[in-house]
Amino acid sequence: SLLHTEHFHTPAQIPPPGQTPSLTNLTDMSSSKATPFRKWIISTAVISSTAYVYKPIIEYLSTHNEHKWTIHLISFASFYGCTVWVTFISGIVMFKNMKRHDFGRLQSKLFPRYFQFCIGTVAVCLALDWIARRNASTLAASTMPNEQMRYFGIMLLVLILNLVVLEPKTTEVMYKRHVVERRLKTGHEVGQLKPSDPNSANDPQLEELSKQFGMLHGISASLNLVVFGLGTWHCFWLASKLVIE
């Protein structure tokens, strides 16, 4: 998976006195403002306000079985389709057709939104079932089994971990790597993970940052595949419950 390949960056170096900042530096500096704490606050505020505004609607849907499962299917299908597209299609196509640094800046804008969208859609599915379980008049058959609820809980926690912790940390390392690569006059390659020049590719500072990036990327991508796997398992569970007349 090319989930996070070269899509994060950290604050650009401030140019020397008298030198005009490049467009790349300005873009990088503007994208560095979001901190993990700020992202956590924004995400929490969005989820909390959305839950408060839509609580009456969710409560109504959770007690009307046919509406509840319609919203569940729409939310889950949106989450699952987005996960498949981002993980296996869009990132690979862009990576093979864009300069590495341009690809990185684009992905750095897309991935926080990807995680936020998935968190929202998974949270809707969980909220519907949680409220339905609290309603004494709701039949047990209208809610997911405990196993499926646990899977959704794990998916939500993993997505939040990726958004709040791993994405910012990987962003920081990649941005430092961009600074080093600009010094080495590389980063313009299309469809390549490393510079074409062997001397640039073997630069000690670049190698160290590449190791850090690879470790963080591997953890984040693996967790994303865990979410995809749990989502796929839920697809099988839904298919087992379908009745076509």
Side-chain angles (χ1 to χ4, degrees):
S1 166
L2 287 174
L3 176 63
H4 292 87
T5 303
E6 291 291 356
H7 79 273
F8 297 109
H9 35 93
T10 65
Q13 291 178 325
I14 299 175
Q19 178 180 334
T20 303
S22 67
L23 178 60
T24 300
N25 283 341
L26 290 174
T27 303
D28 288 346
M29 282 189 280
S30 65
S31 63
S32 68
K33 296 178 181 178
T35 63
F37 180 72
R38 182 183 175 187
K39 288 184 178 181
W40 170 255
I41 293 296
I42 293 174
S43 300
T44 302
V46 169
I47 294 173
S48 300
S49 59
T50 302
Y52 178 79
V53 172
Y54 289 100
K55 182 180 178 182
I57 300 175
I58 293 176
E59 286 181 341
Y60 172 81
L61 293 173
S62 65
T63 55
H64 290 73
N65 206 34
E66 68 282 4
H67 301 321
K68 171 187 179 296
W69 286 108
T70 298
I71 299 301
H72 178 96
L73 286 172
I74 292 173
S75 296
F76 176 74
S78 299
F79 149 74
Y80 192 73
C82 183
T83 301
V84 171
W85 177 260
V86 170
T87 304
F88 299 109
I89 301 174
S90 65
I92 296 175
V93 173
M94 289 188 289
F95 175 73
K96 290 183 177 180
N97 291 277
M98 296 180 67
K99 295 179 181 179
R100 189 165 67 251
H101 284 189
D102 293 339
F103 171 69
R105 284 188 289 274
L106 175 60
Q107 291 289 72
S108 72
K109 300 296 184 182
L110 291 176
F111 265 86
R113 300 296 177 263
Y114 161 67
F115 289 131
Q116 290 166 359
F117 178 80
C118 289
I119 287 170
T121 49
V122 169
V124 167
C125 295
L126 267 175
L128 287 171
D129 254 60
W130 183 68
I131 295 175
R133 285 165 177 260
R134 294 179 60 192
N135 192 319
S137 63
T138 303
L139 297 176
S142 67
T143 61
M144 292 188 291
N146 291 333
E147 179 186 57
Q148 293 297 320
M149 287 287 286
R150 284 194 293 270
Y151 290 162
F152 270 84
I154 292 172
M155 287 191 288
L156 186 62
L157 290 175
V158 169
L159 288 166
I160 292 174
L161 177 64
N162 249 332
L163 173 66
V164 177
V165 179
L166 292 171
E167 191 267 350
K169 286 184 178 296
T170 313
T171 297
E172 183 180 359
V173 175
M174 188 216 141
Y175 209 156
K176 290 178 180 177
R177 188 163 135 174
H178 275 194
V179 172
V180 173
E181 287 183 325
R182 283 197 291 271
R183 172 175 61 80
L184 297 171
K185 302 186 185 308
T186 185
H188 57 277
E189 299 88 352
V190 176
Q192 292 183 213
L193 294 173
K194 297 181 178 180
S196 301
D197 180 14
N199 292 328
S200 298
N202 295 325
D203 180 84
Q205 189 177 9
L206 183 59
E207 285 186 331
E208 178 61 28
L209 290 171
S210 296
K211 288 179 182 178
Q212 295 178 27
F213 180 85
M215 179 188 68
L216 291 167
H217 162 260
I219 295 172
S220 182
S222 297
L223 290 177
N224 187 70
L225 289 176
V226 168
V227 171
F228 170 73
L230 292 175
T232 302
W233 183 251
H234 186 66
C235 284
F236 281 99
W237 179 81
L238 285 174
S240 70
K241 301 300 178 183
L242 286 177
V243 177
I244 301 176
E245 298 179 354

